[in-house]
Amino acid sequence: MCLTAVLTLVYILFMRQRASTTHLTVLCSVPTPRIDSITVRGYRSRFHYYLCRRDSGEMEVYMESLRQGVIEAVHNGVLAIDAEGKVVLCNKAAERVFNISAAEVLGGPILDFFPESRTYRVLQTGQPEFDCPYACNGLNLQVDFLPITSHENILGAAAIVKDVTELEAVAGRLGSVQELAATLEAVVENSYEGIVVIDDQERVVLINQFFLELMGYTSEDVVGRHIHEVSPESQLPQTLKTGVAQFGEPWHVGGRDFLIMRVPIKRDGKIIGALGKTLFKNMEIAKMFARKVVRLEEDLAFYKEELSKIHSSQFSFADISGENEHMLAAKALALRAARTTSTILLLGESGTGKEVFAHAIHQASLRRRGPFVRINCASLPESLLESELFGYAEGAFTGARKGGKPGKFELADKGTIFLDEIGDMSLGMQAKLLRVIQEREVDRIGGTHPIKVDVRVISATNRDLHRMVMEHKFRLDLYYRLNVVTLELPPLRERVEDLEGIISTLLERLNRRLGTFIEGVTQETLDIFRGYAWPGNIRELENVLERAMIISDEPHISPEHLAPPLRSGGGEESGGRGGEETSLPESFSLSSLEEALKAAEKEILSQALRRSRGNKLQAAKALGIHRSALYKKLARHNLLPPHENLNPAVAVLKRPEAGETNRDETEHDGRG
């Protein structure tokens, strides 16, 4: 407790009671030195102050000056009361910590301002209380409550307040620093790696026990010495000079080999030291780590190769053989178009090689290193086609994958997307596709923001899109977007001169896939092929050759290896099962190939329905097409009952499960 504060308190209480003696007793916790004319004697925690008798007026002036000049400058807050519990002193520090005004509290009972005042309790008990914690106005305080006595009479009490808020904050930061230091020490002293640090004078300032044990030193032997005195071959001084980090450098120390890293230590852009650290505890661990990295790199290369097979082009223009003038013109135009980013429309009958052309165009384009993504627009129902093309966000519908799924357009970013059978796309999907092509962005199903894509579009169809536009079955604006560059591929029956070369290419490919060794076809077989119309084009030719290669035990395919209808010069191979032929009624009058194909398709659909007894699902499986595609074809040929023909999409949802037979379908089968 400050002596001047105590003296002031004593004086105030003394003057109020007009005591006739100057012998006062004050509790204090620290012995006070002899000061001027005041004699101080200490008895443990109790001191007697003997004030020399002076003129009372002089004493009052002296003490008033002391109170005004000293007590107000005391850093600790002082709040004192007299024997009646009234406030007789409140300095500026007390005003600040208690957020009160001295003018308001002086002369008033302390209980009016502090109802649970411990100062008043000390006045009653006469027992001091030290280092009492107290919180006020966001401050952390420590308070000493002291009685003021004279001849064992209690004259009053005082509260000496110390603001320890900042001190506790400093102590907290110090504790955090000490905890961090302990953590760093544990990191440095781990038993799995060696660490050494030098300063800008190349002296060792830190080294852990790992290195010390290897070198046979103690910390006292090494710290402060030049690094070359400890390790003559150390390259840390070079790192200090050049500022260039080194990783995976070999280092021999203590009869053992290590891989070490050396890095400069910088502060404010200036090199102030260098750090050397082993990367592994021993070379065995390093070798094991290297083997794992090599295995991971091999796995990564494998997965990259597999992914590239899925989303990459598989054919080039070198795979397209033939000397037919129409085919040569199509190849030349395709090569020119491949150098641009324009959309391309491939037209031609089924099996003429439209997808092979799409692969070749991508392979010859500047996007060859990007993905090549293909999708058959006729193989999926509209709702599924939308999610496949544009993707969906998480929670878009029941069963949606967590995190959502990117669509084909997103997967084809910076590459090419091939939309096969574009003519079978519904008008609603055509509108969405048009927006993607125009705006170069897609909206996932259930998504909240568009996703930018950079995709080249190649589309293909075996239908007459111009006629579909006239019949309002295909959007005119989408047709113009797709029909920038048009390639029309000739059917195989118009390329008889290319037949021998195509057969040779297909045999080579099939031999690799089937593991066979067929060298070619006989001249008689080739003559049969040349006289055949090939309505299925190259795809049908490949199927015929594959069947013959499986049957044949000879190096060349002979007519006996062919299917009977083809061998006898009839139509194409039966599309049914059990060797049944698909023939057209003699009453059909065919004025064009297109009408013949339509009639053949209708007859095949009718036969499929009869065999499945009207079950659409079984008929679709037998034909190898999706049920929605079957409904479209049935509606096109007016083979659906009236109530289904009104809305084929709704009829798909109402079909019975596999194995069940709908009564209406059975009736339809009977009618037709």
Side-chain angles (χ1 to χ4, degrees), residues 385-651:
L385 179 62
E386 182 178 4
S387 65
E388 283 294 309
L389 283 176
F390 311 128
Y392 57 81
E394 181 176 350
F397 48 82
T398 303
R401 182 188 301 176
K402 184 177 182 181
K405 177 187 174 183
K408 298 294 186 182
F409 273 93
E410 288 182 64
L411 295 176
D413 189 38
K414 302 296 187 297
T416 303
I417 187 169
F418 175 54
L419 304 175
D420 199 8
E421 304 293 349
I422 190 71
D424 292 318
M425 184 178 288
S426 68
L427 290 173
M429 283 300 301
Q430 290 176 30
K432 296 176 182 178
L433 176 61
L434 176 64
R435 183 184 180 279
V436 173
I437 296 176
Q438 288 184 160
E439 304 298 333
R440 300 286 181 177
E441 62 184 24
V442 297
D443 290 298
R444 288 187 178 185
I445 299 175
T448 57
H449 61 278
I451 300 172
K452 289 289 184 181
V453 291
D454 178 15
V455 180
R456 192 222 190 122
V457 178
I458 300 177
S459 55
T461 183
N462 59 2
R463 305 181 67 179
D464 187 346
L465 292 186
H466 186 268
R467 176 182 292 182
M468 293 180 65
V469 170
M470 296 297 101
E471 296 174 355
H472 304 290
K473 295 180 180 179
F474 200 86
R475 293 182 63 99
L476 179 62
D477 45 8
L478 178 60
Y479 176 71
Y480 287 138
R481 284 288 180 181
L482 298 176
N483 193 28
V484 176
V485 177
T486 302
L487 298 176
E488 190 165 356
L489 307 184
L492 184 57
R493 61 181 172 276
E494 297 179 7
R495 301 174 56 195
V496 179
E497 66 272 27
D498 295 336
L499 193 59
E500 191 170 355
I502 294 173
I503 290 174
S504 178
T505 302
L506 291 176
L507 287 177
E508 182 180 350
R509 185 190 308 167
L510 289 170
N511 277 326
R512 287 197 302 267
R513 180 158 62 88
L514 300 176
T516 54
F517 302 95
I518 302 298
E519 298 177 5
V521 299
T522 64
Q523 184 62 43
E524 187 179 2
T525 303
L526 185 59
D527 292 339
I528 293 175
F529 285 170
R530 285 174 175 167
Y532 184 60
W534 299 111
N537 293 289
I538 298 175
R539 183 179 296 117
E540 182 184 0
L541 174 60
E542 184 176 6
N543 291 340
V544 169
L545 290 175
E546 183 174 355
R547 178 183 183 277
M549 292 172 70
I550 295 173
I551 296 174
S552 176
D553 293 326
E554 302 173 3
H556 291 82
I557 296 175
S558 302
E560 59 265 23
H561 300 137
L562 304 178
L566 187 65
R567 188 168 61 244
S568 63
E572 64 180 275
E573 287 187 61
S574 173
R577 298 187 181 184
E580 297 180 13
E581 292 188 35
T582 301
S583 60
L584 300 179
E586 296 180 358
S587 59
F588 284 172
S589 176
L590 307 179
S591 59
S592 67
L593 175 65
E594 184 177 357
E595 291 181 3
L597 291 176
K598 287 182 179 179
E601 184 179 57
K602 183 175 182 179
E603 179 63 23
I604 291 172
L605 292 173
S606 298
Q607 288 189 14
L609 286 174
R610 284 195 293 271
R611 291 194 188 98
S612 63
R613 296 185 179 181
N615 189 304
K616 306 296 191 303
L617 181 60
Q618 292 182 9
K621 288 182 178 179
L623 294 173
I625 61 177
H626 195 274
R627 187 169 57 170
S628 63
L630 173 64
Y631 269 91
K632 290 180 181 179
K633 293 179 182 295
L634 293 176
R636 189 185 309 146
H637 295 291
N638 295 320
L639 294 177
L640 283 174
H643 69 280
E644 293 184 4
N645 199 33
L646 291 175
N647 193 342
V650 175

Side-chain angles (χ1 to χ4, degrees), residues 87 90 95 100-108 113:
V87 179
C90 180
E95 288 182 287
I100 58 177
S101 171
E104 295 177 357
V105 301
L106 288 175
F113 309 103

Side-chain angles (χ1 to χ4, degrees), residues 153-172:
N153 295 324
I154 298 177
L155 304 179
I160 312 301
V161 184
K162 292 169 284 186
D163 185 356
V164 296
T165 304
E166 184 176 351
L167 180 62
E168 289 184 351
V170 172

